[in-house]
Amino acid sequence: GDYVSDSIWHRVVQIVTNHPQGDLQGYAAATLFVAVSPHRCHETTVSVAAYVLGEFGFLIAERPGMSGEEQFHVLHQHWFNVDTKTRAILISTYAKLANLYEECRPLVAPIFARSKNSSDVEVQQRCAEYASMREAFSPEAVEDLLREMPPFEDKRRSALELRLLETEGEDSAAVTKASMPSEVEQQRALQSAQMLSNPPLEEEDVEEEEEDTPY
């Protein structure tokens, strides 16, 4: 929520995207699906959930209650409560959901049709492009355009990497290993995802709980 800056959630997305091994991507998708399910949800959580479900929601689509259509519904309930930057992320996710799940196409099409007249240029352009994509390109090209994003290129070098570059060279196994997300970074990504799914209680919520506490 307010305690998670853009740079932190961007890093969470980067680590999840760059770590296909194990169940990190499926775990992140399932955790964020649950986090974004309540009607009251912080916009940061919606942004992260929209991105992760758009990229890796297919990993949980066979689980009970987490189908592609249900992923669409839990995200779209926040459409009118978020700013245009988050809506732009949602639009890309809707396009990917509609591409993967036929049942999502009649849900997404009216949104794109209405939003092509949006006052926000980014929202307008994305909707117009996604709406016309199937007419302009072959099915194979559409599949390629909407497939999950490739791993991010992290141009930052740690002190260890810089030292190994001097002694071992760019292509050494030691440099490759040092550049991979560490277990600590992966754990931080999981903790950040959990933080997004369990935001601190607002003052009014605390007061309500105190009033309900029996004495």
Side-chain angles (χ1 to χ4, degrees):
D2 293 330
Y3 300 93
V4 180
S5 66
D6 284 351
S7 61
I8 292 177
W9 79 256
H10 291 168
R11 184 59 176 163
V12 170
V13 165
Q14 182 177 7
I15 291 173
V16 172
T17 302
N18 288 11
H19 192 73
Q21 303 87 355
D23 192 41
L24 178 60
Q25 293 175 344
Y27 174 85
T31 299
L32 288 163
F33 177 92
V34 173
V36 83
S37 294
H39 184 67
R40 291 183 62 187
C41 183
H42 196 283
E43 185 161 349
T44 301
T45 307
V46 178
S47 297
V48 183
Y51 187 92
V52 171
L53 290 176
E55 298 300 313
F56 310 113
F58 68 92
L59 296 172
I60 63 171
E62 300 299 322
R63 300 186 189 183
M66 294 186 177
S67 68
E69 183 176 355
E70 286 163 318
Q71 291 178 38
F72 168 82
H73 285 305
V74 297
L75 290 171
H76 191 59
Q77 66 176 329
H78 304 292
W79 175 265
F80 294 104
N81 300 321
V82 298
D83 63 20
T84 53
K85 182 172 66 174
T86 303
R87 285 188 183 182
I89 300 173
L90 285 170
I91 289 166
S92 295
T93 296
Y94 295 168
K96 295 192 174 194
L97 290 174
N99 182 57
L100 288 173
Y101 312 106
E102 189 172 349
E103 63 270 23
C104 288
R105 292 173 189 172
L107 302 173
V108 169
I111 298 169
F112 286 177
R114 289 194 302 269
S115 298
K116 283 193 293 185
N117 298 317
S118 171
S119 58
D120 183 79
V121 175
E122 178 71 14
V123 169
Q124 181 186 111
Q125 182 175 348
R126 288 198 186 200
C127 285
E129 290 175 352
Y130 286 135
S132 61
M133 186 176 288
R134 292 188 178 278
E135 299 175 3
F137 301 101
S138 67
E140 294 78 12
V142 172
E143 289 287 340
D144 190 55
L145 288 168
L146 294 178
R147 70 175 61 254
E148 62 268 24
M149 294 289 288
F152 290 90
E153 180 181 356
D154 190 354
K155 297 182 179 179
R156 295 177 299 175
R157 298 283 193 180
S158 66
L160 174 60
E161 287 179 78
L162 292 173
R163 179 60 177 165
L164 287 171
L165 280 171
E166 293 177 3
T167 59
E168 302 287 341
E170 179 73 35
D171 298 325
S172 72
V175 172
T176 301
K177 183 176 180 180
S179 65
M180 293 177 64
S182 66
E183 291 185 7
V184 173
E185 286 185 301
Q186 296 167 26
Q187 188 62 34
R188 284 176 179 168
L190 292 176
Q191 290 172 347
S192 296
Q194 290 168 345
M195 185 189 303
L196 289 166
S197 63
N198 297 287
L201 290 174
E202 297 180 1
E203 291 184 4
E204 60 183 36
D205 295 329
V206 174
E207 291 175 0
E208 288 176 4
E209 285 193 3
E210 290 177 351
E211 290 176 0
D212 294 339
T213 302
Y215 291 99

